[in-house]
């Protein structure tokens, strides 16, 4: 379980990241997500900058290609020293196995391999869009669980999914399988382009091991206060579990 909300740094430049992080204390280690928008603009140097600041990093590039290409890419990404990376489960079991092997081969001796998770269905995808656009005739829940089971069989650490699906995935795999859940909103926030959303409290009750939060923090007038509110709500559920376990 990841006790800190993962902040999605959905910015287009290093300068924007620096400006955003100035709203937090310099000695406060965060867990942040670097996605395609930022990584493709700022490159590997953004990873080095964040690591120097002591932050944990989820590198969200969603690799999806033939197994050998993904193997080589993951072998290189492992050398960046990030904490978590991902692939698209739609790439198949062999591709996911190759991704894991690439991470293992690229991780230096004595260093910890980054966690590897697989994207099931994006939280912006509806069942209608999936069935029409992807020609998947199953229900959205069936598709997500199928991808999760494939990722589990491939040896991955978990999946990216909606918090709405987390408890079903844990029942289909194991309670040690990580469900990393974007689409997190406070009750009063807009959904924007996310369809399958939950609050931090709802996500934890439903089995999420980690929450990824973007605009509900980054677009607020006081990001630090928004972060603390989300973190507090998330941690209350974790502490409650300890009390009643």
């Amino acid at each position: 379980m990841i006790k800190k909300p993962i902040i999605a740094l959905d910015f287009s430049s290093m300068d924007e990241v620096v400006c955003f992080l100035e709203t937090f204390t310099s000695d406060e280690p965060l867990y942040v997500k670097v996605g395609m928008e930022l990584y493709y603009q700022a490159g590997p140097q953004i990873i080095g900058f964040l690591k120097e600041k002591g932050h944990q990093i989820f590198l969200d590039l969603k690799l999806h290609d033939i197994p050998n290409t993904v193997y080589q890419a993951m072998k290189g990404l492992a050398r960046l020293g990030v904490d978590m990376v991902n692939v698209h489960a739609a790439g198949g079991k062999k591709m996911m196995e190759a991704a894991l092997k690439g991470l293992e081969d690229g991780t230096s001796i004595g260093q910890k391999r980054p966690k590897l998770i697989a994207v099931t269905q994006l939280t912006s995808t509806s069942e209608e869009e999936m069935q029409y656009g992807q020609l998947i005739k199953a229900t959205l829940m069936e598709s997500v669980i199928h991808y999760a089971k494939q990722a589990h069989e491939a040896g991955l650490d978990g999946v990216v999914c909606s918090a709405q699906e987390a408890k079903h995935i844990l029942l289909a795999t194991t309670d040690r399988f990580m469900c990393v859940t974007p689409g997190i909103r406070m009750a009063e926030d807009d959904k924007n382009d996310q369809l399958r959303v939950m609050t931090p409290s709802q996500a934890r009750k439903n089995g999420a091991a980690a929450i990824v939060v973007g605009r509900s923090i980054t677009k607020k007038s006081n990001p630090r206060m928004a972060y603390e509110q989300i973190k507090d709500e998330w941690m209350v559920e974790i502490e409650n579990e300890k009390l009643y376990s």
Side-chain angles (χ1 to χ4, degrees), residues 51-125:
K51 282 175 61 67
E52 286 177 6
K53 299 295 184 182
H55 303 311
Q56 292 176 276
I57 304 166
F58 168 23
L59 183 56
D60 176 28
L61 298 183
K62 302 182 180 73
L63 300 191
H64 185 175
D65 212 310
I66 62 172
N68 184 64
T69 297
V70 172
Y71 167 83
Q72 296 294 347
M74 281 297 184
K75 192 174 179 181
L77 292 179
R79 300 188 184 107
L80 294 177
V82 298
D83 299 274
M84 186 159 62
V85 293
N86 63 359
V87 296
H88 263 295
K93 187 176 175 182
K94 288 184 178 179
M95 186 208 73
M96 289 189 278
E97 290 171 340
L100 181 60
K101 183 69 162 57
L103 281 181
E104 291 171 343
D105 290 352
T107 300
S108 301
I109 295 174
Q111 298 299 309
K112 188 176 181 181
R113 170 183 67 77
K115 290 189 180 300
L116 176 59
I117 57 179
V119 176
T120 53
Q121 291 287 351
L122 300 174
T123 51
S124 59
T125 300

Side-chain angles (χ1 to χ4, degrees), residues 162-167 181-187 191 195-208 211 233:
S162 163
Q164 295 177 8
E165 298 133 10
K167 66 179 178 182
T181 60
I184 300 299
R185 297 285 188 271
M186 296 300 280
K191 290 184 179 180
L195 297 179
R196 307 192 320 277
V197 304
M198 276 191 166
T199 66
S201 175
Q202 292 169 334
R204 183 57 207 150
K205 287 177 180 176
N206 218 45
I211 53 174
E233 184 174 318

Side-chain angles (χ1 to χ4, degrees), residues 1-4 200-201 204-205 231-245:
M1 185 188 305
I2 298 173
K3 293 185 177 180
K4 300 174 185 177
S201 175
R204 183 57 207 150
K205 287 177 180 176
K231 182 180 177 183
D232 287 347
E233 184 174 318
W234 176 247
M235 287 302 300
V236 162
E237 291 303 326
I238 294 174
E239 294 302 320
N240 285 341
E241 289 170 20
K242 291 179 181 178
L243 286 174
Y244 297 105
S245 63

Side-chain angles (χ1 to χ4, degrees), residues 116-162:
L116 176 59
I117 57 179
V119 176
T120 53
Q121 291 287 351
L122 300 174
T123 51
S124 59
T125 300
S126 69
E127 184 164 287
E128 182 181 10
E129 288 171 331
M130 181 198 75
Q131 292 177 345
Y132 177 76
Q134 301 175 32
L135 283 181
I136 294 176
K137 299 307 179 184
T139 67
L140 194 145
M141 183 68 76
E142 288 169 340
S143 173
V144 167
I145 291 174
H146 171 71
Y147 281 142
K149 289 169 72 174
Q150 289 273 293
H152 182 250
E153 290 169 10
L156 273 62
D157 300 294
V159 290
V160 180
C161 64
S162 163

Side-chain angles (χ1 to χ4, degrees), residues 13-20:
S13 71
M14 176 85 79
D15 289 343
E16 289 179 85
V17 173
V18 171
C19 183
F20 171 76

